[in-house]
Amino acid sequence: PKWPVTPAAQKATASPVVENLSRPKAIHRDWVEGRPVQTVVKSSAKKANASERLLQLSAPKKCAANVVMEEPETPYNEGISKINPAALKAVASSRIESLAQEKQTHQSYQPPCPVQSIVNPKTMKAKASAHIVQLARPKDRKELEENQNFWKVTAGAKAAQASQRINELSAPIPRKVRAKKATAPS
């Protein structure tokens, strides 16, 4: 957008602080320009011959054909590896056999309860006592009654008298009481 510039702004001169701020930031003295992506290969490296060990290391790894696949019975059939004949004839020691046994459950282990519990028929026919019925009944909520006057003072509260001990405790502490200044009637 174009807007009019006042003549005073056109004739204004910049202060030294504004001129200092307008200078571009100088490059750090330790800054080094980035290296090019293409590296220059030396002519001696181009003419070099690789040793036998380097050729051996650069050769692709030979895969050992140790996995033999049988006819796939299911799509999730796994490969069967070749087993050494000596390993097939090996006999496990008694220690290995004891380690291979499955861990037994604890003597006091109880299986988890079923999700659906079976209720005893006698429990279904049981009758609750009067005390149980009284305990099961919800509490009466008197404060939820409508049109209740919260500010009404009962007759018993109006006629109540404080005991001598209450009067002693409610009296102010003598050392904290200031005597009122007496003023002459005018």
Side-chain angles (χ1 to χ4, degrees):
K2 294 181 179 179
W3 57 88
V5 181
T6 60
Q10 291 175 2
K11 295 175 185 173
T13 56
S15 66
V17 175
V18 173
E19 286 181 6
N20 188 19
L21 289 171
S22 68
R23 289 195 198 103
K25 192 174 181 182
I27 297 170
H28 194 271
R29 64 177 180 272
D30 295 336
W31 182 79
V32 178
E33 193 177 352
R35 294 181 182 175
V37 178
Q38 295 85 4
T39 54
V40 180
V41 182
K42 295 178 183 176
S43 59
S44 58
K46 289 179 183 176
K47 296 174 184 173
N49 290 326
S51 63
E52 287 183 28
R53 176 67 179 149
L54 276 176
L55 292 172
Q56 181 188 352
L57 290 171
S58 65
K61 209 173 192 179
K62 293 178 182 174
C63 282
N66 57 354
V67 177
V68 178
M69 291 293 290
E70 292 183 351
E71 287 283 328
E73 297 169 8
T74 63
Y76 305 106
N77 195 10
E78 295 179 3
I80 301 164
S81 31
K82 289 184 178 177
I83 301 171
N84 192 344
L88 290 170
K89 295 175 185 173
V91 178
S93 64
S94 60
R95 172 72 178 149
I96 298 292
E97 286 181 0
S98 66
L99 289 172
Q101 288 178 355
E102 65 180 17
K103 191 175 181 181
Q104 300 297 319
T105 55
H106 195 266
Q107 301 164 3
S108 60
Y109 170 76
Q110 292 181 344
C113 294
V115 176
Q116 271 189 326
S117 56
I118 300 164
V119 181
N120 194 337
K122 292 180 181 178
T123 310
M124 301 279 276
K125 295 175 185 175
K127 302 264 180 169
S129 65
H131 182 64
I132 299 286
V133 170
Q134 183 184 359
L135 290 173
R137 193 172 56 229
K139 291 182 180 179
D140 294 334
R141 303 269 183 194
K142 291 182 181 177
E143 65 270 5
L144 296 177
E145 291 178 12
E146 289 185 27
N147 301 326
Q148 187 177 1
N149 187 0
F150 293 101
W151 308 108
K152 185 178 178 183
V153 180
T154 60
K158 288 177 185 176
Q161 293 288 325
S163 66
Q164 185 181 359
R165 179 67 179 147
I166 297 291
N167 287 333
E168 285 175 21
L169 291 171
S170 64
I173 300 169
R175 64 183 162 81
K176 292 191 174 183
V177 176
R178 252 193 323 185
K180 289 186 178 179
K181 292 180 182 178
T183 57
S186 51

